[in-house]
Amino acid sequence: MARIDDRYATRERFTTLRGLRNEARRQLSEVAWNYLWCGTGDETTVHENTAIFDRYKFRTPLFAGISNPDTRTRVLDLDLSFPLFTAPFGGEATFHPHGHLAVGKAAQAVGVQQMVPVAASHTLESVAVASQVAAIYQMTFVGDEDAVVDMMHRAQRAGYRYICVTYSPIRQWRERLMEDRFSPRTDDGPANFGEGLSDPASLVELLNFTQPRWTWEQAARVIARSPLPCIVKGVQGVADARAALDAGAVGLYISNYGGRTIDREPATLSVLPGIRGAVGKDVPIILDSGIRRGSDIATAIALGADAVAAGRIILQGLAAAGEEGVRRTLELLKMEFWSTLGHLGCSRVSDLSPAIFAQVPKD
């Protein structure tokens, strides 16, 4: 007799995100594992970023008539097979030498878009050539304004569609890395700086703190000079959301950098509804920090995000098996999201709203 339900039968090497995590743990040294999962201080924010999702409980309707939900969406005029970007994490060659080259190829295979940071292990041009989905280039606003604008033009020439503006006020206090005496530097040096590339003075300033950090006025001045539209990352409250829009941002990126900058910040999910309410329904909002499951994506969209960005879990896939590991991570997240939509009675991404919750955490 033929099997009626063979959904669990697969030839895939990795069947679950848990399996990818186990393989990544086997592949990495203790020092590299700490680099992947560390936060600052007591890592309270790291834990809160994920724990808050568990406090939202779903209402699952009977006889909703949903058999095959549509996970596709469009954010910032970019098509996504489900509402996720790969996040702009740097130093990724620590986990696999192909780094963002592999991430881009995997993202293209699954139909999502890639964010690429200035601190990537490969040049912004080589990452852009590796796939057709290197859409957003992240830059830290420090140092000379002209040097920043010059790199924006590099990103434009390479084919990026947006600049992600971010900020680094001072060095982070990551105790796991201090105890490990960790250094992410490689023999090749910073990929995006040097002869024929960009002025290394910007990198020096990012690391050495010799000048005052930028003000909103400076940020607005450079956003106005940018050849590409800008989104602002690191938004953690209504005041900064409004300041970012006033400075010329076309979208907001809510992030506490995965709890890797300063401890005891609020979880990003906790500030999302207030920011969405303040800026209205038409401003694109991306959220990161704490995304581990497809159900997390559904929760974030229901509370006001247009898409999420995933970082650590993508790096975990990269460490497990390079491009294959990232591709499988994205496929599993997409399938989990699809399953969540169906169980919640949602035919499409736009059906997600606070009505999906049976219980929400109290303030």
Side-chain angles (χ1 to χ4, degrees):
M1 181 178 178
R3 283 184 293 180
I4 296 174
D5 185 352
D6 64 353
R7 75 185 77 178
Y8 299 124
T10 177
R11 295 178 181 271
E12 289 283 352
R13 176 182 174 191
F14 300 107
T15 58
T16 64
L17 294 170
R18 183 180 294 110
L20 282 154
R21 180 184 177 89
N22 291 340
E23 180 61 22
R25 189 67 189 90
R26 284 191 289 269
Q27 293 288 339
L28 295 177
S29 67
E30 189 70 23
V31 171
W33 185 256
N34 282 338
Y35 178 46
L36 174 56
W37 292 105
C38 76
T40 53
D42 289 322
E43 302 186 351
T44 303
T45 301
V46 175
H47 299 302
E48 182 64 16
N49 278 338
T50 55
I52 190 170
F53 284 96
D54 291 332
R55 297 201 286 272
Y56 283 85
K57 309 302 181 187
F58 293 134
R59 176 183 287 111
T60 53
L62 288 171
F63 299 106
I66 307 301
S67 61
N68 190 20
D70 186 353
T71 63
R72 295 172 298 173
T73 191
R74 188 171 174 84
V75 180
L76 294 169
D77 292 326
L78 298 169
D79 291 321
L80 303 168
S81 68
F82 72 114
L84 181 141
F85 293 84
T86 62
F89 43 77
E92 77 284 1
T94 300
F95 307 101
H96 192 279
H98 294 167
H100 276 287
L101 307 177
V103 172
K105 291 175 182 177
Q108 180 172 317
V110 182
V112 298
Q113 301 283 332
Q114 181 185 23
M115 298 184 182
V116 180
V118 68
S121 302
H122 299 271
T123 65
L124 66 91
E125 290 87 358
S126 62
V127 176
V129 167
S131 77
Q132 297 176 3
V133 297
I136 301 177
Y137 187 63
Q138 178 181 286
M139 296 188 63
T140 305
F141 273 16
V142 296
D144 180 73
E145 293 181 23
D146 288 339
V148 171
V149 174
D150 285 345
M151 184 172 269
M152 288 174 160
H153 282 277
R154 261 185 76 192
Q156 181 194 38
R157 290 192 297 271
Y160 291 85
R161 302 270 300 277
Y162 291 87
I163 298 293
C164 177
V165 174
T166 190
Y167 180 69
S168 179
I170 201 166
R171 187 168 288 112
Q172 302 89 359
W173 194 263
R174 301 175 186 171
E175 292 191 350
R176 279 204 248 181
L177 303 191
M178 295 158 77
E179 290 175 347
D180 289 339
R181 292 165 172 79
F182 175 79
S183 174
R185 294 176 176 82
T186 65
D187 293 339
D188 295 331
N192 276 305
F193 299 93
E195 186 176 353
L197 298 170
S198 289
D199 187 348
S202 297
L203 177 66
V204 171
E205 179 54 33
L206 178 61
L207 299 175
N208 290 349
F209 311 97
T210 63
Q211 303 173 21
R213 284 324 202 212
W214 284 21
T215 63
W216 273 115
E217 289 74 20
Q218 285 178 280
R221 195 158 58 232
V222 170
I223 288 172
R225 295 176 62 192
S226 173
L228 295 171
C230 296
I231 63 173
V232 172
K233 178 181 177 181
V235 173
Q236 272 280 279
V238 170
D240 276 345
R242 288 175 172 154
L245 296 175
D246 289 344
V250 300
L252 304 175
Y253 188 158
I254 299 175
S255 176
N256 57 37
Y257 303 91
R260 294 168 77 91
T261 55
I262 185 172
D263 208 9
R264 298 181 182 172
E265 284 188 293
T268 53
L269 198 70
S270 70
V271 302
L272 169 61
I275 293 172
R276 172 54 78 194
V279 303
K281 63 182 179 62
D282 295 328
V283 175
I285 294 179
I286 299 167
L287 175 141
D288 76 8
S289 304
I291 302 299
R292 303 289 184 271
R293 290 283 186 181
S295 54
D296 297 341
I297 302 170
T299 298
I301 303 303
L303 291 174
D306 293 290
V308 303
R312 277 188 171 102
I313 196 167
I314 301 299
L315 279 173
Q316 176 179 280
L318 185 67
E323 180 184 339
E324 176 195 2
V326 177
R327 176 188 59 79
R328 192 61 181 149
T329 297
L330 291 169
E331 288 174 344
L332 290 165
L333 285 170
K334 181 179 178 180
M335 287 188 285
E336 286 186 0
F337 179 67
W338 175 87
S339 177
T340 302
L341 280 183
H343 282 293
L344 294 175
C346 297
S347 296
R348 58 191 65 84
V349 175
S350 59
D351 290 341
L352 290 166
S353 76
I356 68 170
F357 301 120
Q359 178 183 328
V360 298
K362 297 179 179 179
D363 293 336

